[in-house]
Coordinates of all heavy atoms in Angstrom, one line a residue:
M7 N 65.2 111.9 78.7 CA 65.1 113.0 79.6 C 65.2 114.2 79.0 O 66.2 114.4 78.1 CB 66.2 112.7 80.7 CG 66.4 113.8 81.7 SD 67.6 113.5 82.9 CE 68.3 112.0 82.6
S8 N 64.4 115.2 79.2 CA 64.5 116.5 78.5 C 65.5 117.4 79.1 O 65.9 117.2 80.3 CB 63.1 117.1 78.5 OG 62.8 117.6 79.8
L9 N 65.9 118.3 78.3 CA 66.9 119.3 78.9 C 66.3 120.1 80.0 O 67.0 120.5 80.9 CB 67.4 120.2 77.8 CG 68.4 119.5 76.7 CD1 68.8 120.6 75.6 CD2 69.6 119.0 77.4
E10 N 65.0 120.4 79.9 CA 64.3 121.1 81.0 C 64.4 120.3 82.4 O 64.6 120.9 83.4 CB 62.8 121.4 80.7 CG 62.6 122.4 79.6 CD 62.6 121.7 78.2 OE1 62.6 120.5 78.1 OE2 62.5 122.4 77.3
A11 N 64.2 119.0 82.2 CA 64.3 118.2 83.4 C 65.7 118.2 84.0 O 65.9 118.1 85.2 CB 63.8 116.8 83.1
I12 N 66.7 118.1 83.1 CA 68.1 118.1 83.5 C 68.4 119.4 84.1 O 69.0 119.4 85.3 CB 69.0 117.9 82.3 CG1 68.9 116.4 81.8 CG2 70.5 118.1 82.7 CD1 69.6 116.2 80.5
A13 N 67.9 120.5 83.6 CA 68.3 121.9 84.2 C 67.5 122.0 85.6 O 68.1 122.5 86.5 CB 67.8 123.0 83.3
A14 N 66.3 121.4 85.7 CA 65.6 121.6 87.0 C 66.3 120.7 88.0 O 66.5 121.2 89.2 CB 64.2 121.1 86.8
R15 N 66.8 119.6 87.6 CA 67.4 118.7 88.6 C 68.8 119.2 89.0 O 69.2 119.2 90.1 CB 67.7 117.2 87.8 CG 68.2 116.3 88.7 CD 67.2 115.9 89.7 NE 67.7 114.9 90.6 CZ 67.3 114.6 91.9 NH1 66.4 115.3 92.4 NH2 67.9 113.7 92.6
L16 N 69.4 119.9 88.1 CA 70.8 120.6 88.4 C 70.5 121.7 89.3 O 71.3 121.9 90.2 CB 71.4 121.1 87.1 CG 72.1 120.0 86.2 CD1 72.6 120.6 85.0 CD2 73.2 119.3 86.9
A17 N 69.5 122.4 89.1 CA 69.2 123.6 90.1 C 68.9 123.0 91.5 O 69.3 123.6 92.4 CB 68.0 124.3 89.6
A18 N 68.1 121.9 91.5 CA 68.0 121.3 92.8 C 69.1 120.7 93.5 O 69.4 120.9 94.7 CB 66.9 120.1 92.7
L19 N 70.1 120.1 92.7 CA 71.3 119.7 93.2 C 72.2 120.9 93.7 O 72.9 120.7 94.7 CB 72.1 118.9 92.1 CG 71.6 117.5 91.8 CD1 72.2 116.9 90.5 CD2 71.7 116.6 92.9
D20 N 72.2 122.0 93.0 CA 72.9 123.1 93.3 C 72.4 123.7 94.7 O 73.2 124.0 95.6 CB 72.9 124.2 92.3 CG 73.7 125.4 92.6 OD1 74.9 125.1 92.9 OD2 73.3 126.5 92.5
A21 N 71.1 123.7 94.9 CA 70.5 124.1 96.2 C 70.9 123.2 97.3 O 71.3 123.6 98.4 CB 69.1 124.2 96.1
G22 N 70.8 121.9 97.1 CA 71.3 120.9 98.0 C 72.7 121.0 98.4 O 73.0 120.9 99.6
Q23 N 73.5 121.3 97.4 CA 74.9 121.4 97.6 C 75.3 122.6 98.4 O 76.1 122.5 99.3 CB 75.6 121.5 96.3 CG 77.2 121.8 96.5 CD 77.8 122.4 95.2 OE1 77.2 122.3 94.1 NE2 79.0 122.9 95.3
A24 N 74.6 123.7 98.2 CA 74.8 124.8 99.0 C 74.4 124.6 100.5 O 75.1 125.0 101.4 CB 74.0 126.1 98.5
A25 N 73.4 123.9 100.7 CA 72.9 123.5 102.1 C 73.9 122.6 102.8 O 74.3 122.8 103.9 CB 71.6 122.8 102.1
M26 N 74.5 121.6 102.0 CA 75.5 120.8 102.5 C 76.7 121.5 102.9 O 77.4 121.3 103.8 CB 75.7 119.6 101.6 CG 74.6 118.5 101.6 SD 75.0 117.1 100.6 CE 74.5 117.7 99.0
N27 N 77.2 122.4 102.0 CA 78.4 123.1 102.2 C 78.2 124.0 103.5 O 79.1 124.2 104.2 CB 78.8 124.0 101.0 CG 79.4 123.2 100.0 OD1 79.9 122.1 100.1 ND2 79.5 123.8 98.7
G28 N 77.0 124.6 103.6 CA 76.7 125.3 104.9 C 76.9 124.5 106.1 O 77.5 124.9 107.1
A29 N 76.3 123.3 106.1 CA 76.4 122.3 107.2 C 77.9 121.9 107.4 O 78.3 121.8 108.6 CB 75.5 121.2 107.0
L30 N 78.6 121.7 106.4 CA 80.0 121.2 106.6 C 80.8 122.3 107.1 O 81.7 122.1 107.9 CB 80.5 120.8 105.2 CG 80.0 119.4 104.7 CD1 80.4 119.2 103.2 CD2 80.4 118.3 105.6
G31 N 80.5 123.6 106.7 CA 81.2 124.8 107.3 C 81.0 125.0 108.8 O 81.9 125.2 109.6
L32 N 79.8 124.7 109.2 CA 79.5 124.7 110.6 C 80.2 123.6 111.4 O 80.7 123.8 112.5 CB 78.0 124.6 110.9 CG 77.1 125.8 110.4 CD1 75.6 125.5 110.5 CD2 77.5 127.1 111.2
M33 N 80.2 122.4 110.8 CA 81.0 121.3 111.4 C 82.5 121.7 111.6 O 83.1 121.4 112.5 CB 80.9 120.0 110.6 CG 79.5 119.4 110.7 SD 79.3 118.0 109.6 CE 80.5 116.9 110.2
L34 N 83.0 122.3 110.5 CA 84.5 122.7 110.5 C 84.7 123.7 111.6 O 85.6 123.6 112.3 CB 84.9 123.2 109.1 CG 85.1 122.2 108.1 CD1 85.4 122.8 106.7 CD2 86.3 121.2 108.4
D35 N 83.8 124.7 111.7 CA 84.0 125.7 112.7 C 83.9 125.0 114.2 O 84.7 125.4 115.0 CB 82.8 126.7 112.7 CG 82.9 127.6 111.5 OD1 84.0 127.6 110.8 OD2 81.8 128.3 111.1
T36 N 83.0 124.1 114.4 CA 83.0 123.4 115.6 C 84.2 122.6 115.9 O 84.8 122.6 117.0 CB 81.8 122.4 115.7 OG1 80.5 123.2 115.5 CG2 81.7 121.6 117.0
L37 N 84.7 121.9 114.8 CA 86.0 121.1 115.0 C 87.1 122.0 115.3 O 88.0 121.7 116.2 CB 86.2 120.3 113.7 CG 85.2 119.2 113.5 CD1 85.4 118.6 112.1 CD2 85.4 118.1 114.6
H38 N 87.2 123.3 114.7 CA 88.3 124.1 115.0 C 88.2 124.6 116.5 O 89.3 124.7 117.2 CB 88.3 125.4 114.1 CG 88.6 125.1 112.8 ND1 89.9 124.7 112.3 CD2 87.9 125.0 111.6 CE1 90.0 124.5 111.0 NE2 88.8 124.7 110.5
V39 N 87.1 124.9 117.0 CA 86.9 125.3 118.4 C 87.4 124.2 119.4 O 88.1 124.4 120.3 CB 85.4 125.7 118.7 CG1 85.2 125.9 120.2 CG2 85.2 127.1 117.9
Q40 N 86.9 122.9 119.0 CA 87.3 121.8 119.9 C 88.8 121.6 119.8 O 89.4 121.2 120.8 CB 86.6 120.5 119.3 CG 85.1 120.6 119.6 CD 84.3 119.4 119.0 OE1 84.9 118.8 118.1 NE2 83.1 119.2 119.5
T41 N 89.4 121.7 118.7 CA 90.9 121.5 118.5 C 91.6 122.6 119.4 O 92.5 122.3 120.1 CB 91.3 121.7 117.1 OG1 90.6 120.6 116.3 CG2 92.8 121.5 116.9
T42 N 91.2 123.8 119.3 CA 91.7 124.9 120.1 C 91.6 124.5 121.6 O 92.6 124.7 122.4 CB 91.1 126.2 119.8 OG1 91.3 126.5 118.4 CG2 91.7 127.3 120.7
L43 N 90.5 124.1 122.1 CA 90.2 123.7 123.5 C 91.1 122.6 123.8 O 91.8 122.6 124.9 CB 88.8 123.4 123.6 CG 88.4 122.9 125.1 CD1 88.7 124.0 126.1 CD2 86.9 122.5 125.1
L44 N 91.2 121.6 123.0 CA 92.0 120.4 123.4 C 93.5 120.8 123.5 O 94.2 120.2 124.2 CB 91.8 119.3 122.3 CG 90.4 118.5 122.5 CD1 90.2 117.7 121.3 CD2 90.3 117.8 123.7
R45 N 93.9 121.7 122.6 CA 95.4 122.1 122.6 C 95.6 122.8 123.9 O 96.7 122.6 124.5 CB 95.7 123.0 121.4 CG 95.8 122.2 120.2 CD 96.3 123.0 119.0 NE 96.5 122.2 117.8 CZ 96.4 122.7 116.5 NH1 96.0 124.0 116.3 NH2 96.6 121.9 115.5
K46 N 94.7 123.7 124.3 CA 94.9 124.4 125.6 C 94.9 123.4 126.8 O 95.8 123.5 127.6 CB 93.8 125.5 125.7 CG 93.8 126.6 124.9 CD 95.0 127.4 125.1 CE 94.9 128.8 124.3 NZ 96.2 129.5 124.4
L47 N 94.0 122.4 126.7 CA 94.0 121.4 127.8 C 95.3 120.7 127.8 O 95.9 120.3 128.9 CB 92.9 120.6 127.7 CG 91.5 121.1 128.0 CD1 90.4 120.2 127.6 CD2 91.3 121.5 129.5
S48 N 95.9 120.3 126.6 CA 97.1 119.6 126.5 C 98.2 120.5 127.0 O 99.1 120.0 127.8 CB 97.4 119.3 125.1 OG 96.5 118.3 124.6
E49 N 98.2 121.8 126.7 CA 99.3 122.6 127.3 C 99.3 122.6 128.8 O 100.3 122.5 129.5 CB 99.0 124.1 126.8 CG 99.4 124.2 125.3 CD 99.0 125.7 124.9 OE1 98.8 126.6 125.7 OE2 99.0 125.8 123.6
F50 N 98.1 122.7 129.4 CA 98.0 122.7 130.9 C 98.5 121.3 131.5 O 99.1 121.3 132.5 CB 96.6 123.0 131.4 CG 96.1 124.4 131.1 CD1 94.9 124.7 130.5 CD2 96.9 125.5 131.5 CE1 94.4 126.0 130.3 CE2 96.5 126.7 131.2 CZ 95.3 127.0 130.6
A51 N 98.1 120.2 130.7 CA 98.4 118.9 131.3 C 100.0 118.7 131.1 O 100.7 118.1 131.9 CB 97.7 117.8 130.5
A52 N 100.5 119.4 130.0 CA 102.0 119.2 129.8 C 102.9 120.0 130.8 O 104.0 119.7 131.0 CB 102.3 119.6 128.4
A53 N 102.2 121.0 131.4 CA 102.9 121.7 132.4 C 103.4 120.9 133.6 O 104.3 121.3 134.4 CB 102.1 123.0 132.8
D54 N 102.7 119.9 133.9 CA 103.0 119.0 135.0 C 104.3 118.2 134.6 O 104.3 117.6 133.4 CB 101.9 118.0 135.2 CG 102.1 117.1 136.5 OD1 103.1 117.3 137.1 OD2 101.1 116.3 136.7
S55 N 105.3 118.1 135.4 CA 106.5 117.5 135.0 C 106.4 115.9 134.9 O 107.2 115.3 134.2 CB 107.6 117.8 136.0 OG 107.3 117.5 137.3
A56 N 105.5 115.3 135.6 CA 105.3 113.9 135.6 C 104.6 113.4 134.4 O 103.7 114.2 133.8 CB 104.6 113.4 136.9
P57 N 104.9 112.3 133.8 CA 104.1 111.8 132.6 C 102.6 111.6 133.1 O 102.3 111.2 134.1 CB 104.7 110.4 132.3 CG 106.0 110.4 133.0 CD 106.0 111.4 134.2
S58 N 101.7 112.0 132.2 CA 100.3 112.1 132.5 C 99.5 111.3 131.5 O 99.6 111.6 130.3 CB 99.8 113.6 132.5 OG 98.5 113.7 132.7
P59 N 98.7 110.4 132.0 CA 97.7 109.7 131.1 C 96.7 110.7 130.5 O 96.3 110.5 129.4 CB 97.0 108.7 132.0 CG 97.4 109.0 133.4 CD 98.6 109.9 133.4
L60 N 96.5 111.8 131.3 CA 95.6 112.8 130.7 C 96.2 113.4 129.6 O 95.4 113.7 128.5 CB 95.2 113.9 131.8 CG 94.4 115.1 131.3 CD1 93.1 114.6 130.9 CD2 94.3 116.0 132.5
L61 N 97.4 113.8 129.6 CA 98.1 114.3 128.4 C 98.0 113.4 127.2 O 97.7 114.0 126.1 CB 99.6 114.7 128.8 CG 100.4 115.3 127.7 CD1 99.8 116.6 127.1 CD2 101.8 115.5 128.1
K62 N 98.3 112.1 127.4 CA 98.2 111.2 126.3 C 96.9 111.2 125.7 O 96.6 111.1 124.5 CB 98.7 109.8 126.8 CG 100.2 109.7 126.9 CD 100.6 108.4 127.2 CE 102.1 108.2 127.5 NZ 102.6 106.9 127.8
T63 N 95.9 111.2 126.5 CA 94.4 111.1 126.1 C 94.1 112.4 125.3 O 93.5 112.3 124.2 CB 93.5 111.0 127.3 OG1 93.8 109.7 128.0 CG2 92.0 110.9 126.8
L64 N 94.5 113.5 125.9 CA 94.2 114.8 125.2 C 94.9 114.9 123.9 O 94.3 115.4 122.9 CB 94.6 116.0 126.1 CG 93.7 116.2 127.3 CD1 94.4 117.3 128.2 CD2 92.3 116.5 127.0
Q65 N 96.1 114.4 123.8 CA 96.8 114.4 122.5 C 96.2 113.5 121.5 O 96.1 113.9 120.4 CB 98.3 114.0 122.7 CG 99.0 115.0 123.5 CD 100.5 114.6 123.9 OE1 100.8 113.5 124.0 NE2 101.4 115.6 124.1
G66 N 95.7 112.3 121.9 CA 95.0 111.4 121.1 C 93.7 112.1 120.5 O 93.3 112.0 119.4
L67 N 92.9 112.7 121.5 CA 91.7 113.4 121.1 C 92.0 114.5 120.1 O 91.2 114.7 119.1 CB 90.9 114.0 122.3 CG 90.2 113.0 123.2 CD1 89.7 113.6 124.5 CD2 89.0 112.5 122.4
T68 N 93.0 115.3 120.4 CA 93.4 116.3 119.5 C 93.7 115.9 118.1 O 93.2 116.4 117.1 CB 94.6 117.2 120.0 OG1 94.2 117.7 121.3 CG2 94.9 118.3 119.2
A69 N 94.5 114.8 118.0 CA 94.8 114.2 116.7 C 93.5 113.6 116.0 O 93.4 113.9 114.8 CB 95.7 113.0 116.9
A70 N 92.7 113.0 116.7 CA 91.4 112.5 116.1 C 90.6 113.7 115.6 O 90.0 113.5 114.5 CB 90.6 111.7 117.2
I71 N 90.4 114.7 116.4 CA 89.6 115.9 115.9 C 90.3 116.5 114.7 O 89.5 116.9 113.8 CB 89.5 117.0 117.1 CG1 88.7 116.3 118.2 CG2 88.9 118.2 116.6 CD1 87.2 116.2 117.9
M72 N 91.6 116.5 114.7 CA 92.2 117.2 113.5 C 92.0 116.2 112.3 O 91.9 116.7 111.1 CB 93.7 117.3 113.9 CG 93.9 118.4 114.9 SD 95.6 118.7 115.3 CE 96.3 119.4 113.8
D73 N 92.1 114.9 112.5 CA 91.8 114.0 111.4 C 90.4 114.2 110.8 O 90.1 114.2 109.7 CB 92.0 112.6 111.8 CG 93.5 112.2 112.0 OD1 94.4 112.9 111.5 OD2 93.7 111.1 112.7
L74 N 89.4 114.3 111.8 CA 88.1 114.5 111.4 C 87.9 115.9 110.6 O 87.2 115.9 109.7 CB 87.2 114.5 112.7 CG 85.7 114.6 112.5 CD1 85.2 113.5 111.5 CD2 84.9 114.5 113.9
D75 N 88.6 116.9 111.2 CA 88.5 118.2 110.5 C 89.0 118.1 109.1 O 88.4 118.6 108.1 CB 89.4 119.2 111.3 CG 89.5 120.5 110.6 OD1 88.4 121.1 110.5 OD2 90.6 121.1 110.5
A76 N 90.1 117.3 108.9 CA 90.6 117.2 107.5 C 89.7 116.4 106.6 O 89.4 116.7 105.5 CB 91.9 116.4 107.6
S77 N 89.0 115.5 107.2 CA 88.1 114.6 106.4 C 86.8 115.4 106.1 O 86.3 115.4 104.9 CB 87.5 113.4 107.3 OG 88.7 112.5 107.5
V78 N 86.3 116.2 106.9 CA 85.2 117.1 106.7 C 85.5 118.1 105.6 O 84.8 118.4 104.7 CB 84.6 117.8 108.0 CG1 83.5 118.8 107.6 CG2 84.0 116.6 108.8
G79 N 86.7 118.7 105.7 CA 87.2 119.6 104.7 C 87.3 119.0 103.3 O 86.9 119.6 102.4
E80 N 87.7 117.6 103.3 CA 87.8 117.0 102.0 C 86.5 116.8 101.4 O 86.3 117.0 100.2 CB 88.5 115.6 102.2 CG 88.4 114.7 101.0 CD 89.7 114.7 100.3 OE1 90.7 115.3 100.8 OE2 89.7 114.2 99.2
V81 N 85.4 116.4 102.2 CA 84.0 116.2 101.8 C 83.6 117.6 101.3 O 82.9 117.6 100.2 CB 83.2 115.7 102.9 CG1 81.7 115.8 102.5 CG2 83.6 114.2 103.2
E82 N 83.8 118.6 102.0 CA 83.3 119.9 101.6 C 83.9 120.3 100.2 O 83.2 120.8 99.3 CB 83.7 121.0 102.6 CG 83.1 122.4 102.3 CD 83.5 123.4 103.3 OE1 84.6 123.3 103.8 OE2 82.7 124.3 103.6
R83 N 85.2 120.0 100.0 CA 85.9 120.4 98.7 C 85.2 119.5 97.6 O 85.1 120.0 96.4 CB 87.3 120.1 98.8 CG 88.1 121.2 99.6 CD 89.6 121.0 99.6 NE 90.1 119.9 100.2 CZ 90.2 119.8 101.6 NH1 89.9 120.8 102.3 NH2 90.7 118.7 102.2
K84 N 84.9 118.3 97.8 CA 84.3 117.5 96.8 C 82.9 117.9 96.5 O 82.5 117.8 95.3 CB 84.3 116.0 97.3 CG 85.7 115.3 97.3 CD 85.6 113.9 97.7 CE 87.0 113.3 97.7 NZ 87.0 111.9 98.1
F85 N 82.2 118.5 97.4 CA 80.8 118.9 97.1 C 80.9 120.3 96.4 O 80.0 120.7 95.6 CB 80.0 119.1 98.4 CG 79.2 117.9 98.7 CD1 79.7 117.2 99.8 CD2 78.3 117.4 97.9 CE1 78.9 116.0 100.2 CE2 77.6 116.2 98.2 CZ 77.9 115.6 99.4
D86 N 82.0 121.0 96.6 CA 82.1 122.4 96.0 C 82.2 122.2 94.5 O 83.1 121.5 94.0 CB 83.4 123.0 96.6 CG 83.5 124.5 96.2 OD1 82.4 125.2 96.1 OD2 84.6 125.0 96.0
G87 N 81.4 122.9 93.8 CA 81.3 122.8 92.3 C 80.7 121.6 91.8 O 80.7 121.4 90.5
L88 N 80.1 120.7 92.6 CA 79.4 119.5 92.0 C 78.3 119.9 90.9 O 78.3 119.2 89.9 CB 78.8 118.7 93.2 CG 78.0 117.4 92.7 CD1 79.0 116.5 92.0 CD2 77.3 116.8 93.9
A89 N 77.6 120.8 91.3 CA 76.5 121.2 90.3 C 77.1 121.7 89.0 O 76.6 121.4 87.9 CB 75.6 122.4 90.9
Q90 N 78.2 122.4 89.1 CA 78.8 122.9 87.8 C 79.4 121.8 87.0 O 79.3 121.8 85.8 CB 80.0 123.9 88.2 CG 79.4 125.2 88.7 CD 79.1 125.2 90.2 OE1 79.5 124.3 90.9 NE2 78.4 126.2 90.6
V91 N 79.9 120.8 87.7 CA 80.5 119.7 87.0 C 79.4 118.9 86.3 O 79.5 118.5 85.2 CB 81.3 118.7 87.9 CG1 81.7 117.4 87.2 CG2 82.5 119.5 88.5
L92 N 78.3 118.6 87.0 CA 77.2 118.0 86.4 C 76.6 118.7 85.2 O 76.2 118.2 84.2 CB 76.1 117.7 87.5 CG 76.5 116.6 88.5 CD1 75.4 116.6 89.7 CD2 76.6 115.3 87.9
S93 N 76.5 120.0 85.4 CA 76.0 120.9 84.4 C 76.8 120.8 83.1 O 76.3 120.7 82.0 CB 76.0 122.4 84.9 OG 75.6 123.3 83.8
A94 N 78.2 120.8 83.3 CA 79.1 120.7 82.2 C 78.9 119.3 81.5 O 79.0 119.2 80.3 CB 80.5 121.0 82.6
A95 N 78.7 118.3 82.3 CA 78.7 117.0 81.8 C 77.4 116.7 81.0 O 77.4 116.1 80.0 CB 78.6 115.9 83.0
F96 N 76.3 117.4 81.3 CA 75.1 117.3 80.6 C 75.0 118.4 79.5 O 74.0 118.5 78.7 CB 73.9 117.4 81.5 CG 73.6 116.2 82.3 CD1 73.9 116.1 83.6 CD2 73.1 115.0 81.7 CE1 73.7 114.9 84.4 CE2 72.9 113.9 82.3 CZ 73.2 113.8 83.7
G97 N 75.9 119.4 79.5 CA 75.9 120.5 78.5 C 74.8 121.4 78.8 O 74.3 122.0 77.8
V98 N 74.3 121.6 80.0 CA 73.3 122.6 80.3 C 73.8 123.6 81.2 O 74.3 123.3 82.2 CB 72.1 121.9 81.0 CG1 71.0 122.9 81.3 CG2 71.5 120.7 80.1
P99 N 73.8 124.8 80.7 CA 74.3 126.0 81.6 C 73.4 126.0 82.9 O 72.4 126.1 82.9 CB 74.2 127.2 80.8 CG 74.0 126.9 79.3 CD 73.4 125.4 79.3
L100 N 74.2 126.1 84.0 CA 73.6 126.2 85.3 C 72.8 127.4 85.5 O 73.1 128.5 85.2 CB 74.6 126.1 86.5 CG 74.1 125.9 87.8 CD1 73.4 124.6 88.0 CD2 75.3 125.9 88.8
G101 N 71.5 127.3 85.9 CA 70.6 128.4 86.1 C 69.9 128.8 84.8 O 69.1 129.7 84.9
E102 N 70.2 128.3 83.8 CA 69.4 128.5 82.5 C 68.6 127.5 82.1 O 68.9 126.2 82.2 CB 70.4 128.8 81.4 CG 71.3 130.1 81.5 CD 72.1 130.3 80.3 OE1 71.7 129.8 79.2 OE2 73.2 131.0 80.4
A103 N 67.3 127.8 81.8 CA 66.3 126.7 81.2 C 66.7 126.5 79.8 O 66.7 127.5 79.0 CB 64.9 127.3 81.4
P104 N 66.9 125.3 79.4 CA 67.2 125.0 78.0 C 65.9 125.1 77.2 O 64.8 125.1 77.8 CB 67.7 123.6 78.0 CG 67.1 122.9 79.3 CD 67.0 124.1 80.2
P105 N 66.0 125.2 75.8 CA 64.8 125.2 75.0 C 64.0 123.9 75.2 O 64.6 122.8 75.5 CB 65.4 125.4 73.6 CG 66.9 124.9 73.7 CD 67.2 125.2 75.1
A106 N 62.8 124.0 74.9 CA 61.9 122.8 75.1 C 62.3 121.7 74.1 O 62.5 122.0 73.0 CB 60.4 123.2 74.9
Q107 N 62.4 120.5 74.6 CA 62.6 119.4 73.7 C 61.8 118.2 74.2 O 61.5 118.1 75.4 CB 64.1 118.9 73.7 CG 65.1 120.0 73.1 CD 66.4 119.4 72.9 OE1 66.7 118.3 73.3 NE2 67.3 120.3 72.5
N108 N 61.5 117.4 73.3 CA 60.7 116.1 73.7 C 61.7 115.2 74.3 O 62.8 115.1 73.9 CB 60.0 115.5 72.4 CG 59.0 116.4 72.0 OD1 58.3 117.1 72.7 ND2 58.7 116.3 70.6
G109 N 61.2 114.4 75.2 CA 62.0 113.4 75.9 C 61.4 113.0 77.2 O 60.5 113.5 77.7
Q110 N 62.0 111.9 77.7 CA 61.5 111.4 79.0 C 61.8 112.4 80.1 O 63.0 112.8 80.1 CB 62.1 110.0 79.2 CG 61.7 109.4 80.5 CD 62.3 108.1 80.7 OE1 63.3 107.6 80.0 NE2 62.0 107.3 81.8
E111 N 60.9 112.6 81.0 CA 61.2 113.5 82.1 C 61.9 112.8 83.2 O 61.8 111.6 83.4 CB 59.9 114.1 82.7 CG 59.1 115.0 81.6 CD 59.8 116.2 81.4 OE1 60.4 116.8 82.4 OE2 59.7 116.8 80.3
W112 N 62.6 113.5 83.9 CA 63.4 112.9 85.2 C 62.3 112.7 86.2 O 61.5 113.5 86.5 CB 64.3 114.0 85.7 CG 65.2 113.5 86.8 CD1 64.9 113.3 88.0 CD2 66.6 113.1 86.7 NE1 65.9 112.9 88.8 CE2 67.0 112.7 88.0 CE3 67.6 113.0 85.7 CZ2 68.2 112.3 88.2 CZ3 68.8 112.6 85.9 CH2 69.2 112.3 87.2
P113 N 62.3 111.5 86.8 CA 61.2 111.2 87.8 C 61.4 112.1 89.0 O 62.5 112.3 89.5 CB 61.5 109.7 88.1 CG 62.9 109.5 87.7 CD 63.2 110.4 86.6
Q114 N 60.3 112.6 89.5 CA 60.4 113.6 90.6 C 59.4 113.0 91.7 O 58.2 112.8 91.4 CB 59.9 115.0 90.2 CG 60.9 115.6 89.3 CD 62.2 116.0 89.9 OE1 62.1 116.5 91.0 NE2 63.2 115.6 89.3
S115 N 59.9 112.6 92.8 CA 59.1 112.3 93.9 C 59.8 112.5 95.2 O 61.0 112.7 95.2 CB 58.7 110.8 93.8 OG 59.7 110.0 94.1
S116 N 59.0 112.6 96.3 CA 59.7 112.9 97.5 C 60.6 111.8 98.0 O 61.5 112.1 98.8 CB 58.7 113.2 98.7 OG 57.8 112.0 98.8
D117 N 60.5 110.6 97.5 CA 61.4 109.5 98.0 C 62.7 109.5 97.3 O 63.6 108.8 97.7 CB 60.7 108.2 98.0 CG 60.3 107.7 96.6 OD1 60.3 108.7 95.7 OD2 60.1 106.6 96.3
I118 N 62.9 110.3 96.2 CA 64.1 110.3 95.5 C 65.1 111.2 96.2 O 66.3 110.9 96.5 CB 63.9 110.8 94.0 CG1 63.2 109.7 93.2 CG2 65.3 111.1 93.3 CD1 62.8 110.0 91.8
D119 N 64.8 112.5 96.5 CA 65.6 113.5 97.1 C 65.1 114.2 98.3 O 65.8 115.1 98.8 CB 66.1 114.3 96.0 CG 65.0 115.2 95.4 OD1 63.9 115.1 95.9 OD2 65.3 116.0 94.5
G120 N 64.0 113.7 98.8 CA 63.5 114.4 99.9 C 62.9 115.8 99.7 O 62.4 116.5 100.6
E121 N 62.9 116.3 98.5 CA 62.4 117.6 98.2 C 61.1 117.7 97.6 O 60.6 118.8 97.4 CB 63.5 118.4 97.3 CG 64.8 118.6 97.9 CD 65.9 119.1 96.9 OE1 65.5 119.5 95.8 OE2 67.0 119.2 97.3
G122 N 60.6 116.6 97.1 CA 59.3 116.6 96.5 C 59.4 116.8 95.0 O 60.5 117.1 94.5
G123 N 58.4 116.8 94.2 CA 58.5 116.8 92.8 C 57.8 118.0 92.3 O 57.9 118.7 91.5

């Protein structure tokens, strides 16, 4: 595999990572709004002095959303910097085209990464 192919692949991975981070950020924003709403509903349900199955359900939903929020945040952190790590692993500066070298090219097709070749 040539350094040019590695650099091109890293650039594609970097673009894909940026798109995934954007989507994960939107998911986190949605989860934060849902958590806030569930907390407010729990407060209203807790205002009733009698034990409420609604309160237990809302607390369970809030806990589940918070767990999901933490999981999505973890995925986002793992994607953050992925292209830089791969770039360092291959010894190719991200965003720079390496000098031409002979070698097997990285296979490019739409069925590998959905981006085409």
